[in-house]
Amino acid sequence: MRKVVAGNWKMHHGPRAAADFLARFRPETDPESVRLIFFVAGLSLQAVKANARVPVGLGVQNIHWEPSGALTGEISAEMAAEAGASYALVGHSERRHVFGETDAEVGRKVGAAVRAGLVPVVCVGEQLEERRAGRLDAVLRRQVSAFIPGLRGCGEFMVAYEPVWAIGTGETATPQDASEAHGILREALGELGRAPILYGGSVQPGNAAALMSVPGVDGVLVGGASLDPEVFARIAAAGRSPG
Ligand code: PEP
């Protein structure tokens, strides 16, 4: 399976900066060996599409579960698809822990992505206190069981294991931590456990290859290090299949 290398630009790179990024993004890899996806602000989708020189998947970072309505400031999955997105991040740790998104809301958003024909990339992960209290397994299983019903009718989906304590902190899970968590997730997903599971949390050019060589780690979701085209190109190269 080709490794997935996905960037989450968060609230960075408006249309002008996005176009500039793409003009400078020249990964030494081809689409046969790595699958690149950018999760960008909805306002920058067109700029990425128009300026990409290599095939890239386009995604949004959040959607609402309703297709339309009196929900000021929200964007529906249908709107994201119409604007050019093929993927949607759902349940990112910043959505869960900064904006208070619940497991039930994550499940509804997954359902909305599926109905709109977007590939949901569902983020899960434990907080430091939960890990310290030995609750890794219980937290991941709870998060998975909340979104499985939303996958009904789904053609394709991915999961991103992103330990909250590793996001934007410079702390990275060890390959063993990632292997353990990915194993729990595959088991919790049951017959859906063949979906790609990505690792996210302070991925850098220096640790990307080691993380992607862990059996069961199908790629990476990269925040801060995806903002610089040269740095992100080095991470993409780390995902290249041998040979
Ligand atoms: C993320 O935002 O999904 C993420 C993993 O961020 P960072 O790589 O900066 O830790």
Side-chain angles (χ1 to χ4, degrees):
M1 193 196 294
R2 274 184 310 164
K3 297 289 184 194
V4 177
V5 175
N8 171 18
W9 283 355
K10 312 193 187 203
M11 199 172 74
H12 297 286
H13 291 350
R16 212 171 14 224
D20 181 55
F21 178 106
L22 270 303
R24 296 193 292 128
F25 181 59
R26 295 172 187 277
E28 277 176 41
T29 183
D30 62 58
E32 301 297 310
S33 63
V34 78
R35 183 169 167 189
L36 294 168
I37 307 173
F38 285 97
F39 291 98
V40 307
L43 294 171
S44 299
L45 282 170
Q46 278 310 316
V48 176
K49 197 172 176 175
N51 291 284
R53 293 156 184 244
V54 291
V56 297
L58 274 179
V60 289
Q61 301 165 6
N62 182 38
I63 47 172
H64 196 272
W65 55 81
E66 293 293 344
S68 61
L71 293 159
T72 302
E74 295 291 331
I75 292 174
S76 71
E78 286 78 2
M79 289 171 176
E82 189 183 331
S86 304
Y87 300 83
L89 272 189
V90 182
H92 187 274
S93 119
E94 285 146 21
R95 299 300 319 170
R96 291 178 187 263
H97 302 296
V98 179
F99 296 97
E101 203 164 288
T102 64
D103 284 336
E105 288 169 343
V106 171
R108 294 179 79 178
K109 290 182 178 197
V110 168
V114 171
R115 282 193 300 279
L118 298 176
V119 175
V121 179
V122 196
C123 303
V124 295
E126 81 289 2
Q127 298 185 75
L128 189 56
E129 314 79 73
E130 294 169 326
R131 167 167 280 263
R132 286 191 176 140
R135 293 181 50 223
L136 171 69
D137 190 282
V139 169
L140 295 183
R141 286 178 193 277
R142 189 201 73 221
Q143 292 174 332
V144 168
S145 53
F147 73 73
I148 281 184
L151 291 172
R152 196 185 328 222
C154 183
E156 187 188 4
F157 76 101
M158 300 183 200
V159 176
Y161 168 60
E162 299 209 304
V164 179
W165 47 271
I167 297 180
T169 58
E171 292 275 332
T172 316
T174 62
Q176 290 84 340
D177 293 333
S179 172
E180 182 191 7
H182 283 227
I184 294 168
L185 289 168
R186 286 205 199 277
E187 211 180 281
L189 285 162
E191 59 189 19
L192 302 169
R194 286 177 36 199
I197 304 184
L198 318 183
Y199 168 79
S202 297
V203 174
Q204 296 286 336
N207 59 21
L211 286 160
M212 281 191 271
S213 69
V214 175
V217 174
D218 301 311
V220 287
L221 177 57
V222 186
S226 71
L227 292 173
D228 180 298
E230 278 112 47
V231 173
F232 193 55
R234 285 163 59 205
I235 295 176
R240 193 171 34 203
S241 19

